[in-house]
Amino acid sequence: MESCWTTPGYHTGKYPALAFFTTVPFGPGIGEFLAWKWHGGGNKLRDEIYAQHGLKAFDCFCIGPETSGWFRKEVKGIEDMKGIKMRFFGLGARVMEKMGVSTQLLAAADIFPALERGVIDATEFSMPTMDIQLGFHQIAKYNYFPGWHQQVSCSEFLMNAKAFDALPAHYKAMIEVAAQAQVIFTYAETEASQFGPMQEMQAKHGVQIRRWSDKDLAAYEKAWLEVIAEDSAKDPLFKKIADHYLDFRKKYAVWGESQTMKATYLNSK
C-alpha cells in the first residue's frame, strides 16, 4: 500500500502527541489552528515524527465543531458524568476519564449496536449530518453542545515517502494543491449543512438539544490542563509539541483577543 486517508489521532497508540494535529480540546477555530499547523511550525513537528517511519502527510480534510455527545439520559451537571460508559476520541477521552467516565474508542459501525445493547451509555462521533446517518438519535435523545473536545478536526492524506518522492513534480504539486483545497472546501461544507439535520432530529425524533453550563465547561477545561501537565511530565515528545502549541496560542492571543467579537451586541427583548 502506498497511501491512505486517515487522521493523526488514530496513531496515538504509538505517539500520543500526534493527537494535537487532528484536534485539541478547547482548541482554536480553523484560522488559528491552520496558522499554527501551516505557518507556525506545527506540521514541521508532525513531519519529523512521520519521517522516522518513511511517511509523508498532507492535511486534506477539516470539519467544523462536533457535538459534545449523545446521552441516553439527561446530564444535569458535571457530577452526573461519573460512572458513565462512553465512546470518545482523542485527547478529549483523557479529559472524560478525569470526570469519572469509562471511555472506549469504537469504530463508527460498532457504536449504534453498543448503544442499543447498553454496552455504552453515551457516545460522541461527529456532527449532526454524520450522526443522523448512524442513527444515534433513535436511542440517545439528549444531544449536548458545544463540542469542546473537537472545535476543528483535520484528517490527512498519508503516503509512503519513497512513493511520493518517485512521482513527477507536477503530480506532487497536484496532491499538494488538491489537499489544501479540500481543507477549506470540506470545512465550509460542514458549516453549511448542520442545522437541517438538527432541526429534523428535534422535530421528527424528539431529540433534545442541551448546552453545557459555563461551570461544566470550566470543569472540562480544568481537567484538560491537568491532562497536559500529566502527559507532558511522562512523555518528552508530548511536552515538546504541547509547549510549542501553547506558545503559539499565547503569541496569537495578542491578535486573536483583539479581534474577538460576540455573536451580537443588540439587547434582546
Side-chain angles (χ1 to χ4, degrees):
M1 184 175 71
E2 295 179 337
S3 65
C4 66
W5 177 79
T6 183
T7 173
Y10 284 134
H11 314 322
T12 54
K14 189 171 185 66
Y15 295 107
L18 281 173
F20 277 90
F21 302 105
T22 296
T23 189
V24 187
F26 292 93
I30 190 168
E32 184 181 351
F33 194 40
L34 292 182
W36 173 62
K37 284 166 68 69
W38 291 1
H39 300 286
N43 277 0
K44 289 183 179 179
L45 297 176
R46 178 203 66 185
D47 294 345
E48 289 175 4
I49 298 172
Y50 285 158
Q52 298 175 41
H53 301 276
L55 298 172
K56 177 80 173 177
F58 302 89
D59 291 322
C60 69
F61 178 101
C62 290
I63 61 175
E66 299 193 355
T67 76
S68 187
W70 293 87
F71 294 81
R72 295 170 66 104
K73 296 181 180 179
E74 182 178 10
V75 180
K76 296 182 179 179
I78 203 75
E79 60 279 356
D80 291 346
M81 296 296 293
K82 190 172 184 179
I84 285 179
K85 295 172 292 183
M86 188 173 186
R87 185 270 184 197
F88 222 90
F89 172 81
L91 293 168
R94 292 275 289 108
V95 175
M96 280 301 194
E97 288 163 4
K98 282 188 163 292
M99 298 293 107
V101 176
S102 175
T103 69
Q104 54 183 298
L105 183 60
L106 299 174
D110 297 328
I111 300 174
F112 184 91
L115 272 174
E116 190 174 38
R117 298 196 308 268
V119 175
I120 56 175
D121 307 304
T123 185
E124 62 78 43
F125 179 68
S126 188
M127 45 182 47
T129 50
M130 298 185 192
D131 291 349
I132 194 172
Q133 297 179 51
L134 294 172
F136 303 150
H137 60 281
Q138 297 175 34
I139 300 173
K141 297 296 184 179
Y142 296 92
N143 195 194
Y144 279 74
F145 294 83
W148 54 267
H149 64 304
Q150 286 185 252
Q151 283 290 288
V152 178
S153 302
C154 294
S155 296
E156 64 188 4
F157 179 61
L158 189 63
M159 280 198 71
N160 176 283
K162 289 183 179 179
F164 178 78
D165 291 340
L167 293 174
H170 62 287
Y171 277 22
K172 293 178 181 178
M174 288 168 64
I175 290 174
E176 292 173 3
V177 172
Q180 280 193 335
Q182 279 299 306
V183 165
I184 199 62
F185 182 88
T186 52
Y187 186 85
E189 181 182 34
T190 60
E191 287 286 81
S193 56
Q194 303 311 317
F195 40 86
M198 288 179 70
Q199 291 170 339
E200 177 183 340
M201 286 188 283
Q202 286 180 287
K204 295 184 179 181
H205 304 289
V207 170
Q208 298 190 44
I209 302 298
R210 293 285 188 268
R211 184 176 174 89
W212 299 111
S213 69
D214 288 354
K215 179 181 177 182
D216 293 335
L217 290 171
Y220 285 131
E221 184 177 8
K222 180 176 181 292
W224 163 234
L225 296 178
E226 291 173 357
V227 168
I228 293 178
E230 292 171 4
D231 288 14
S232 292
K234 63 185 181 183
D235 182 346
L237 181 58
F238 189 98
K239 176 176 171 54
K240 177 182 177 179
I241 292 174
D243 286 351
H244 189 280
Y245 166 80
L246 293 172
D247 180 65
F248 182 86
R249 294 211 72 186
K250 183 178 180 180
K251 294 173 180 175
Y252 179 92
V254 175
W255 159 255
E257 292 177 2
S258 298
Q259 290 286 13
T260 298
M261 295 182 67
K262 298 177 182 178
T264 180
Y265 291 84
L266 299 176
N267 294 322
S268 58
K269 295 182 180 180

